Amino acid sequence: MDSLITAAARALAAGDPLGALKRVALRDDAPGLALRGIAMAQLGELVRAKALLRKAARAFGAKEAVARARCVVAEAEIALASRELGWPAKALDAARATLEEHGDRVNAAHARYLEIRRLLLIGRLDEAERVLAGLDPTSLPPALRAVHELVAAGIGLRRLQTKTARAALARAARAAHHAGIPALTAEVESAFLVLNTPAARLIAKGGERLLRLEEVEALLASNAFVVDACRHAVRHAGTTIQLARRPVLFALARALGEAWPQDVPRDTLVARAFRLKLADESHRARLRVEIGRLRGVLRMLAEVSATKRGFALVPRHAREVVVLARPVEEKHAPVLALLADGESWSSSALALALGASQRTVQRALDALAAAGKVQWFGHGRARRWTTPPVPGFATTLLLPAPLPGG
């Protein structure tokens, strides 16, 4: 029977869960349960997979620490796939330590990559990069080398380092080809699409056009004065002024940026900043106060000049002013960006990834569901949310991570 376990394990390593199940589907011993759990996970039956792995971990004896640790790592992978980001990281760390202690470096490295991928999902790029730097993929199997490069590419994409990301994806594609696992190859191909689909809109001088990530990177490295509506900031020559917590000032900056080099009438600015259709003298007085505050915030980069009918933005050193906007304007775009990976998320996982309260995320999900943009299944704590990706658009600029200079 041990030969069946070995054959099933090889089938799983090659990405053939059905082949593995043919060999162990009727087995209830600890190794059989573990392999059945992993096979079910590869088939997308995550709830059943988790139950089988927990049963296998209990079935392994106290002296089978390595086998139990492998079950923990497999369960952590299921938690990541089902976006249970609150899964106890300490359990994974303990399992990794056990595997390293017993010389199972491949599964120990796999545990590390699961840790890094979780950090990437919740926007902790510096920590993810630090852990990744401590791993040498050269001696690992092709599948793990591909995972290493996918993680490196994910960090590069979120930092808008597109050349680094493209090179990492090329290495990932070669490793995935050698691994011969179709699902891994598909994941690499999906990551390549992010580089080749529109990621933002450029608004300038009354017109607009779509930009790919490489073009966004070039724009932020140029001498342009950029009003960044993706991250609610103003950028120029490596200097970033964050306005995410000052929505009125950002609304004024965006209105002035979209109109540049022309001015914007006072009533238009009142409507944009204060969301009012009609303006009286009190609103114009408030506008003067907010324009004064905007002048103070932008004083190193630009002047806000009064004109006969309103105000105009005058950059101090840049030759042009542009607005960088999301490819699709949506109030709850960050939530949609996370859901667009095609996985099912809990509201608690979304809150953790976005750094927001669960109640705030739940209100956003309710609004999106009412608009038919997301759907849910399950009840109570088991409820999960999902949506198909926005066709033809990359969502990298909407994810919870800082852009250069942020």
Side-chain angles (χ1 to χ4, degrees):
M1 294 293 285
D2 287 343
S3 61
L4 290 178
I5 292 292
T6 301
R10 287 175 177 170
L12 289 175
D16 180 16
L18 293 178
L21 285 174
K22 287 179 181 179
R23 295 168 173 85
V24 296
L26 300 179
R27 292 186 59 158
D28 284 323
D29 58 318
L33 288 169
L35 292 174
R36 284 169 59 195
I38 296 172
M40 296 303 290
Q42 289 188 8
L43 290 171
E45 297 290 339
L46 301 183
V47 175
R48 179 62 176 154
K50 185 192 299 185
L52 286 167
L53 285 166
R54 288 183 175 178
K55 188 175 180 180
R58 291 192 297 268
F60 282 116
K63 295 183 179 180
E64 298 173 290
V66 172
R68 295 174 68 180
R70 289 171 180 167
C71 288
V72 172
V73 173
E75 187 180 344
E77 185 168 15
I78 291 171
L80 186 69
S82 57
R83 297 302 185 256
E84 295 178 11
L85 302 184
W87 196 84
K90 289 183 178 179
L92 179 61
D93 193 55
R96 177 192 53 77
T98 297
L99 293 169
E100 288 178 345
E101 181 182 347
H102 288 82
D104 188 352
R105 61 181 185 81
V106 172
N107 281 301
H110 183 46
R112 279 291 194 197
Y113 288 123
L114 292 176
E115 175 190 357
I116 297 169
R117 294 176 81 171
R118 177 182 177 276
L119 292 171
L120 197 59
L121 277 175
I122 61 178
R124 292 162 61 177
L125 296 193
D126 291 340
E127 194 173 347
E129 200 166 32
R130 177 182 58 77
V131 179
L132 186 68
L135 291 170
D136 179 11
T138 55
S139 60
L140 294 176
L144 280 185
R145 292 204 304 272
V147 170
H148 181 100
E149 300 301 345
L150 279 169
V151 171
I155 293 173
L157 288 171
R158 285 163 174 77
R159 292 197 185 282
L160 273 191
Q161 298 169 347
T162 53
K163 290 183 179 178
T164 299
R166 192 177 290 279
L169 288 175
R171 294 191 295 270
R174 291 193 292 270
H177 175 74
H178 289 140
I181 301 176
L184 190 57
T185 299
E187 186 175 356
V188 175
E189 292 173 350
S190 178
F192 262 120
L193 289 177
V194 176
L195 287 169
N196 299 317
T197 53
R201 288 180 298 130
L202 177 70
I203 304 172
K205 297 180 180 179
E208 63 177 73
R209 64 183 178 89
L210 294 171
L211 298 181
R212 292 177 292 107
L213 274 180
E214 289 173 323
E215 295 172 305
V216 174
E217 182 183 14
L219 174 66
L220 295 180
S222 71
N223 191 46
F225 182 98
V226 181
V227 180
D228 184 353
C230 298
R231 302 290 169 145
H232 293 83
V234 173
R235 308 174 186 276
H236 178 251
T239 299
T240 299
I241 299 172
Q242 293 289 351
L243 296 175
R245 296 184 178 180
R246 308 186 73 172
V248 171
L249 297 191
F250 181 78
L252 291 172
R254 177 167 179 173
L256 293 169
E258 289 178 353
W260 186 88
Q262 305 300 320
D263 62 352
V264 183
R266 288 172 176 80
D267 287 354
T268 301
L269 289 173
V270 167
R272 291 285 295 270
F274 309 139
R275 299 179 182 179
L276 298 172
K277 293 183 179 180
L278 299 175
D280 58 25
E281 192 55 39
S282 66
H283 298 132
R284 295 187 184 93
R286 184 184 173 192
L287 176 63
R288 289 193 293 272
V289 171
E290 298 297 346
I291 287 291
R293 289 172 176 163
L294 184 61
R295 283 186 177 124
V297 169
L298 299 182
R299 62 184 180 278
M300 298 298 295
L301 302 181
E303 171 62 27
V304 181
S305 298
T307 65
K308 186 174 181 179
R309 65 172 192 159
F311 295 92
L313 189 66
V314 182
R316 297 192 184 282
H317 306 291
R319 293 185 178 182
E320 66 173 335
V321 176
V322 300
V323 174
L324 184 68
R326 293 166 174 167
V328 177
E329 296 284 0
E330 163 62 55
K331 180 181 179 181
H332 304 298
V335 174
L336 285 176
L338 290 171
L339 292 175
D341 66 359
E343 302 294 345
S344 56
W345 290 69
S346 66
S347 59
S348 59
L350 289 167
L352 180 61
L354 293 170
S357 72
Q358 189 168 346
R359 182 60 191 143
T360 297
V361 170
Q362 189 61 55
R363 285 196 296 267
L365 289 169
D366 289 342
L368 290 168
K373 295 180 179 180
V374 301
Q375 57 190 8
W376 57 268
F377 59 90
H379 298 278
R381 298 181 65 179
R383 177 169 291 186
R384 293 293 184 270
W385 298 83
T386 185
T387 185
V390 179
F393 292 104
T395 56
T396 304
L397 293 183
L398 309 182
L399 295 173
L403 291 179

